[in-house]
């Protein structure tokens, strides 16, 4: 049995158009996506803002009813057998604010242990184990109010593990965290999969995070799944040696549209009016590209071959950069 089976899943949101038109327009956030997640896999949903990642996660965790298609988690249908699904999963939502700031870390977990019907005999041990796992045991009696963002996120993850879920969903688990906290979360999540045998599905718009962490990655853009493979497999979509980074000055970004090159701006420095462009360009094309840039009024500061990254894959598939 698969951990997750998604078939042609869709979601449209109504959007009210006010007076004088006064009608409802439907916005398709997820446009029929299909994928499987294996048990014991760390699966990444990668895509830019508004791609449909959160919407997909909400449907898989029974918080949002699909407009079409089906999804099963551990064999149970997320609509018809939502209760069975909920017993076996948990979620750390985007920008999670469900912790009680006026309670201590320990009291929070105790509260959620009761909500999830953790057997009384196991409660104490489970809470202690979780607080130690996320490195908050020493701070267990401190109010969450005084916690840093990283500590709150660690506690949110401990909270999500309180019912010992088989499948854990994490929506942007490192968003807004400092470097050190983000690193802790990534290592922790990897360990959950490798050592505890959990299945984890996480969303991110950090390329490097998906690349480093996930066993397989589904790239979502405008509600559609545009690629699915291991990080290595995805990177093979860009030929070795084709990834190019070009720094230009005085170049108008708008000229990229309708250009014969699939390049995207990955960095801007307005103070020096320079842009860093990235894309895959083979040996024969490269001189032509430089010529085209110069003709378009740019001063070419540098041209460099780079190791292909997921950013290059995304640019090749969409002509745009994800942007962190
Ligand atoms: N409650 C809602 N009502 C109407 N439209 C919505 C609602 N939630 C999301 N959308 C729209 O659906 C699309 C997908 O949004 P979603 O939040 O799933 O994207 P995302 O990939 O999670 O983006 P982000 O990286 O910003 O978190 C967007 O166009 C968004 O504006
Ligand atoms: Mg989101």
């Amino acid at each position: 049995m698969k951990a997750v089976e998604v078939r042609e899943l869709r979601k449209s949101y109504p959007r009210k158009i006010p007076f004088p038109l006064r009608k409802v327009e439907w916005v398709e956030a997820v446009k029929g996506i299909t994928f499987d997640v294996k048990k014991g896999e760390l699966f990444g949903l990668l895509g830019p803002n508004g791609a449909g990642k959160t919407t997909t996660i909400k449907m898989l965790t029974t918080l949002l009813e699909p407009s079409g298609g089906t999804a099963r988690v551990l064999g149970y249908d997320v609509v018809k057998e939502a209760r069975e699904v909920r017993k076996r999963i948990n979620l750390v939502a985007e920008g999670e604010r469900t912790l009680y700031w006026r309670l201590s870390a320990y009291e929070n977990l105790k509260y959620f242990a009761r909500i999830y019907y953790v057997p009384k005999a196991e409660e104490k041990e489970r809470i202690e184990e979780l607080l130690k796992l996320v490195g908050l045991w020493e701070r267990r009696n401190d109010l969450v109010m005084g916690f840093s963002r990283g500590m709150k996120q660690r506690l949110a993850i401990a909270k999500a593990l309180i019912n010992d879920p088989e499948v854990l969903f994490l929506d942007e688990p490192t968003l807004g965290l400092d470097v050190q906290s983000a690193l802790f979360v990534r290592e922790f999540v990897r360990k959950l999969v490798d050592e505890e045998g959990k299945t984890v599905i996480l969303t991110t718009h950090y390329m490097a995070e998906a690349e480093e962490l996930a066993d397989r990655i589904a790239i979502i853009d405008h509600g559609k799944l545009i690629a699915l493979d291991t990080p290595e497999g995805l990177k093979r979509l860009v030929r070795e040696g084709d990834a190019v980074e070009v720094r230009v000055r005085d170049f108008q970004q708008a000229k990229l549209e309708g250009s014969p090159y699939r390049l995207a701006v990955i960095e801007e420095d307005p103070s020096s009016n320079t842009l860093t462009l990235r894309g895959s360009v083979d040996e024969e094309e490269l001189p032509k590209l430089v010529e085209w840039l110069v003709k378009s009024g740019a001063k070419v500061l540098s041209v460099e071959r780079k190791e292909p990254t997921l950013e290059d894959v995304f640019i090749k598939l969409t002509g745009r950069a994800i942007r962190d």
Side-chain angles (χ1 to χ4, degrees):
M1 194 215 303
K2 295 274 165 48
V4 175
E5 294 170 86
V6 177
R7 297 289 174 272
E8 284 297 317
L9 197 64
R10 294 175 182 278
K11 182 68 193 182
S12 300
Y13 291 110
R15 190 170 63 198
K16 280 199 186 120
I17 314 262
F19 182 83
L21 291 173
R22 267 207 199 121
K23 55 174 187 179
V24 175
E25 210 175 58
W26 291 86
V27 185
E28 252 197 315
V30 175
K31 300 173 181 165
I33 58 173
T34 297
F35 63 89
D36 285 341
V37 178
K38 290 174 240 171
K39 277 192 179 173
E41 193 168 36
L42 205 169
F43 191 86
L45 287 172
L46 173 72
N49 288 140
K53 304 181 297 292
T54 298
T55 303
T56 302
I57 290 276
K58 282 189 177 167
M59 289 191 279
L60 297 181
T61 53
T62 78
L63 297 176
L64 202 59
E65 201 161 312
S67 312
T70 58
R72 291 181 168 275
V73 175
L74 298 163
Y76 297 103
D77 187 282
V78 295
V79 179
K80 294 182 209 121
E81 297 163 299
R83 281 173 66 96
E84 295 303 319
V85 173
R86 283 183 206 143
K87 276 185 213 163
R88 293 164 176 84
I89 65 165
N90 215 327
L91 159 73
V92 179
E94 203 173 15
E96 170 121 356
R97 285 197 230 304
T98 54
L99 297 168
Y100 290 89
W101 288 25
R102 288 168 190 281
L103 298 181
S104 70
Y106 195 96
E107 287 162 342
N108 263 283
L109 292 192
K110 195 165 161 182
Y111 173 78
F112 287 105
R114 301 277 163 92
I115 287 202
Y116 280 100
Y117 298 111
V118 173
K120 270 272 171 62
E122 292 171 30
E123 186 182 278
K124 239 179 129 189
E125 201 183 335
R126 175 98 50 103
I127 294 174
E128 182 173 340
E129 185 193 18
L130 286 174
L131 284 171
K132 283 181 176 164
L133 265 178
V134 297
L136 289 174
W137 179 245
E138 305 300 321
R139 304 289 302 264
R140 64 188 176 279
N141 294 321
D142 294 353
L143 298 190
V144 171
M145 208 177 323
F147 279 10
S148 69
R149 209 164 168 166
M151 288 162 73
K152 283 184 195 131
Q153 182 69 339
R154 270 147 51 184
L155 188 60
I157 293 174
K159 179 206 133 189
L161 291 169
I162 198 86
N163 63 330
D164 198 19
E166 265 186 83
V167 183
L168 180 66
F169 293 87
L170 302 168
D171 197 0
E172 305 270 1
T174 62
L175 190 68
L177 297 190
D178 59 277
V179 176
Q180 201 188 345
S181 300
L183 188 69
F184 178 92
V185 168
R186 283 187 203 120
E187 285 177 351
F188 184 76
V189 169
R190 192 63 249 180
K191 267 197 247 162
L192 276 180
V193 174
D194 293 342
E195 290 168 22
E196 313 277 330
K198 303 270 184 222
T199 305
V200 172
I201 293 150
L202 65 84
T203 75
T204 183
H205 60 276
Y206 298 125
M207 298 274 179
E209 177 165 288
E211 187 172 339
E212 178 194 315
L213 202 55
D215 297 318
R216 285 192 309 145
I217 299 169
I219 302 184
I220 302 191
D221 189 37
H222 294 309
K224 287 195 180 134
L225 201 153
I226 57 170
L228 196 171
D229 207 336
T230 58
E232 298 71 36
L234 286 172
K235 280 193 280 177
R236 277 197 292 274
L237 294 174
V238 174
R239 268 197 321 195
E240 194 70 36
D242 277 5
V244 171
E245 203 170 285
V246 185
R247 281 185 60 238
V248 287
R249 180 176 293 156
D250 304 334
F251 177 71
Q252 281 166 326
Q253 205 170 323
K255 293 205 166 137
L256 284 177
E257 276 170 45
S259 88
Y261 305 100
R262 281 217 154 172
L263 286 176
V265 176
I266 58 159
E267 232 179 278
E268 274 175 83
D269 181 3
S271 66
S272 62
N273 203 20
T274 55
L275 298 174
T276 307
L277 308 172
R278 193 142 174 155
S280 35
V281 184
D282 68 26
E283 225 166 311
E284 274 170 37
E285 267 185 320
L286 195 55
K288 289 185 213 151
L289 165 66
V290 174
E291 200 179 319
W292 177 80
L293 285 167
V294 172
K295 263 198 203 145
S296 310
K299 289 191 187 70
V300 178
L301 303 175
S302 66
V303 178
E304 256 185 287
R305 293 261 174 226
K306 295 276 185 180
E307 277 285 307
T309 65
L310 285 185
E311 179 86 59
D312 300 314
V313 175
F314 191 82
I315 294 168
K316 182 162 181 174
L317 293 172
T318 68
R320 287 174 290 113
I322 271 204
R323 295 256 186 139
D324 281 355

